[in-house]
Amino acid sequence: MATAAKRQRTDEETPSTSKHSRKVNKVLQEAQNTGEFPTDWDVDEYKTEYESEEHWELRRSFMVEHKDRFDEERLVCLAQTFINMEFMGCKYPSDVMLLVAELSKDIAEEFRKNRALRLKRTFVSASDAAEQRAKGRRNNNK
């Protein structure tokens, strides 16, 4: 019975004051320094030759979006962490996961929407493909 009460939100508690939101705000505040960061560095210097265009565009968007909020070294690390989480499913400590999730919210949402609209490949076993081809030939001969 006590667990059911814990699951229910009180009327005074809104999503912005929830425990999760408070933790995200705390992590963001700790991650950011109140000082100004130099923004004269070139984001494009960080593209690697083996990186796909899709990965680079997403990582670049992340860095450009937050260039004025973090120092260069920290932002490059956060951007790579974001890519690792998004494409490879990597897991990190909860504070890092919360920070990257909050910073990448808009960027990731747009990327995922575009990815969902892409044509999807369907893999068929060789035996199924041969069977379908044989059926197609039989139907054409009739």
Side-chain angles (χ1 to χ4, degrees), residues 6 9 18 35 40 58-59 68 78 84 100 104 112 118-119 141:
K6 286 181 181 178
R9 277 205 171 124
S18 70
D40 58 345
L58 197 58
R59 192 162 69 102
D68 59 338
L78 287 170
N84 292 347
V100 172
S104 66
R112 290 177 190 140
R118 272 194 245 151
L119 191 61
N141 291 337

Side-chain angles (χ1 to χ4, degrees), residues 2-29:
T3 57
K6 286 181 181 178
R7 289 184 194 151
Q8 294 177 342
R9 277 205 171 124
T10 62
D11 291 337
E12 301 90 34
E13 187 178 30
T14 62
S16 63
T17 62
S18 70
K19 185 177 178 181
H20 175 73
S21 295
R22 286 191 304 268
K23 182 160 181 152
V24 167
N25 289 337
K26 181 182 175 196
V27 169
L28 279 171
Q29 287 172 355

Side-chain angles (χ1 to χ4, degrees), residues 24-71:
V24 167
N25 289 337
K26 181 182 175 196
V27 169
L28 279 171
Q29 287 172 355
E30 288 173 359
Q32 290 178 250
N33 190 340
T34 55
E36 294 286 321
F37 297 104
T39 58
D40 58 345
W41 55 277
D42 186 16
V43 170
D44 294 320
E45 288 179 7
Y46 289 96
K47 183 179 187 321
T48 58
E49 62 186 48
Y50 56 82
E51 190 170 26
S52 73
E53 283 302 314
E54 181 181 44
H55 289 204
W56 168 242
E57 283 304 317
L58 197 58
R59 192 162 69 102
R60 184 180 190 287
S61 306
F62 185 94
M63 288 193 283
V64 168
E65 180 75 24
H66 302 293
K67 192 174 182 178
D68 59 338
R69 296 176 71 185
F70 297 93
D71 68 276

Side-chain angles (χ1 to χ4, degrees), residues 87-139:
F87 288 103
M88 294 186 247
C90 294
K91 304 285 185 205
Y92 294 91
S94 61
D95 287 350
V96 174
M97 296 285 283
L98 284 170
L99 176 62
V100 172
E102 186 64 29
L103 293 172
S104 66
K105 189 173 19 181
D106 296 332
I107 297 166
E109 184 179 320
E110 184 178 327
F111 168 74
R112 290 177 190 140
K113 196 182 312 177
N114 291 338
R115 185 170 52 179
L117 297 175
R118 272 194 245 151
L119 191 61
K120 299 198 185 218
R121 292 186 179 136
T122 305
F123 293 99
V124 179
S125 68
S127 59
D128 289 344
E131 184 181 332
Q132 291 298 323
R133 187 172 180 198
K135 283 181 182 177
R137 285 185 180 168
R138 273 187 258 144
N139 290 339

